[in-house]
Amino acid sequence: MARVLAIETSCDETAASIVEDGHLVLSDVVATQIDIHCKYGGVVPELASRNHIVNIIPVVEEALEHAQCTWSDIDAIAVTRGPGLVGALLVGLQMAKSLAYAHGLPLIPVHHLAGHLHAVYLHKPDETRPVGPAYPHVAMAVSGGHTALYRVTAPGEVVQLSNTRDDAAGEAFDKVARMLGLGYPGGPIVEKIARNGDPQAYRFTLPRFKDGGFDFSFSGLKTAVLTAIKKYEGDTALPQGQDQADLVASFQDAAVRQLVDRTVQAARSEGVQDVVLAGGVACNGALRTAMRTALKEHGIELHVPPPRWCTDNAAMIAGTAGSEAARRVGSGGQEDDRRINAIGAWRLDQ
Ligand code: KG4
Ligand code: ZN
């Protein structure tokens, strides 16, 4: 399967990409809808679907153009089948089905999280091919919709080790930003403001579960931030300036501590030498640094994609589809590709 054109529309990015042999990214086009959803403080599902349908054809055309490909250069069409917003997924799925049908190409459905975990293998033509993680390794998917740890035993063999019990980490960043009136998506804004704050200003504690293994929880932290906001000037104003930076830095520090703590525990308990960090929250510089340092203390190496392939994109989907083993993960079994449907909620190891 040499060249795969993939489409990704699981949330608010309309994306198309062409990837060769599962790793070489020839084009990578992402039309973001941030400006549209920003004023609502989060993604509005119907608006996401409506904007995908407007953007999808120009985005696919651009992906072909950037890669200097015509349809005769493409060997397969891949598409994100789930998990995600069903109305949004259906736009990409229908486009991919139609293209596969019209051009007589195979259609490869891909699990969105398999895509995030595969992003660590991608590179552009002028970049050297990354040395991937050894097997077995532990992988973390940390985004707006997911915070989970996996054991990846062999190519294509994944077992989920833990999950969040409530909010995803990215959701917590987004909610804290919204509580402080900072805009959407919260992650990059919080990270920027946190650079000027004191992470020790508030000592938010880590959640512990008696039976929880490496599970995550972010709703307690979110509530603690809300309580701090309410205490600020007797509920009459939102923290600003240095006060805001201190609160945001303390929140980010607690979120990062939790993500690092669980990942180090899981990696040690699984006895692995390599850890993969993927998903939108993996863009966060404080998380990347803290995770790398903490793992290094135990002789474990961190593999993390460049930020452009941490947030949603179609290169990770095309790469997964082009890699024999990776595309088995969460493939949902064999089905007639003309009849496949979107799957909104879908575990990676099912
Ligand atoms: O992977 P992604 O693009 O979409 C999902 O599959 O959810 O992740 C988006 C999430 C958002 O919650 C966003 O706030 C978060 O990733 N994010 C960040 C950063 N950049 C994006 N969180 C923390 N720090 C960042 N720099
Ligand atoms: Zn994602």
Side-chain angles (χ1 to χ4, degrees):
M1 204 66 67
R3 275 186 190 156
V4 178
L5 183 147
I7 292 171
E8 150 67 43
T9 61
S10 65
C11 193
D12 60 340
E13 319 280 11
T14 317
S17 162
I18 298 172
V19 173
E20 206 169 88
D21 298 329
H23 60 91
L24 180 64
V25 181
L26 301 182
S27 66
D28 174 26
V29 180
V30 181
T32 181
Q33 301 179 8
I34 284 175
D35 291 348
I36 292 155
H37 301 282
C38 189
K39 54 180 171 289
Y40 303 100
V43 177
V44 182
E46 186 182 329
L47 289 181
S49 309
R50 288 183 175 280
N51 284 285
H52 285 316
I53 214 143
V54 171
N55 292 330
I56 189 76
I57 291 179
V59 163
V60 168
E61 281 178 335
E62 218 177 301
L64 283 164
E65 213 176 285
H66 287 187
Q68 297 181 326
C69 286
T70 62
W71 285 109
S72 61
D73 300 315
I74 304 300
D75 300 299
I77 305 288
V79 64
T80 305
R81 186 185 190 184
L85 302 170
V86 171
L89 288 164
L90 289 175
V91 176
L93 197 55
Q94 184 51 50
M95 178 73 184
K97 276 192 189 189
S98 308
L99 288 172
Y101 182 58
H103 295 287
L105 294 169
L107 178 69
I108 305 171
V110 174
H111 194 293
H112 181 76
L113 294 178
H116 273 304
L117 301 192
H118 186 81
V120 78
Y121 297 101
L122 300 175
H123 65 105
K124 289 182 177 173
D126 59 352
E127 294 168 342
T128 48
R129 190 174 176 180
V131 181
Y135 295 94
H137 61 261
V138 162
M140 173 189 263
V142 59
S143 70
H146 305 272
T147 303
L149 284 164
Y150 302 92
R151 178 177 62 237
V152 187
T153 313
E157 278 174 37
V158 178
V159 177
Q160 185 163 341
L161 299 172
S162 76
N163 203 352
T164 178
R165 297 204 170 184
D166 39 61
D167 295 347
E171 197 180 347
F173 274 86
D174 294 339
K175 285 179 178 169
V176 164
R178 187 157 53 182
M179 290 185 305
L180 288 163
L182 299 174
Y184 174 86
I189 306 168
V190 164
E191 180 176 9
K192 193 163 167 232
I193 296 174
R195 284 193 200 117
N196 302 317
D198 173 9
Q200 314 280 331
Y202 295 79
R203 212 53 201 160
F204 298 125
T205 51
L206 296 197
R208 299 269 173 219
F209 307 112
K210 282 197 186 94
D211 59 333
F214 321 121
D215 274 358
F216 301 91
S217 166
F218 292 95
S219 74
L221 176 57
K222 181 189 65 189
T223 309
V225 173
L226 185 62
T227 308
I229 294 174
K230 284 191 170 160
K231 273 191 193 151
Y232 185 75
E233 286 191 6
D235 212 3
T236 55
L238 290 171
Q240 305 288 343
Q242 193 59 46
D243 295 335
Q244 182 192 71
D246 288 348
L247 181 55
V248 153
S250 303
F251 157 75
Q252 177 176 277
D253 183 68
V256 166
R257 272 188 288 127
Q258 184 182 161
L259 293 167
V260 171
D261 174 80
R262 303 316 198 243
T263 308
V264 170
Q265 275 188 58
R268 294 193 65 202
S269 141
E270 294 294 326
V272 298
Q273 296 299 306
D274 297 80
V275 165
V276 169
L277 178 63
V281 181
C283 288
N284 189 283
L287 174 62
R288 294 163 84 97
T289 306
M291 190 72 90
R292 179 161 280 123
T293 309
L295 289 169
K296 205 172 169 189
E297 276 173 26
H298 300 283
I300 301 167
E301 193 184 338
L302 178 68
H303 302 257
V304 54
R308 65 177 176 274
W309 291 323
C310 286
T311 47
D312 287 349
N313 64 86
M316 66 187 195
I317 304 301
T320 308
S323 145
E324 191 72 39
R327 74 166 182 259
R328 285 204 304 268
V329 181
S331 64
Q334 295 300 313
E335 269 179 72
D336 177 351
D337 60 11
R338 296 188 188 177
R339 294 189 59 83
I340 63 162
N341 211 332
I343 308 178
W346 188 10
R347 265 178 74 120
L348 182 57
D349 57 356
Q350 276 171 355

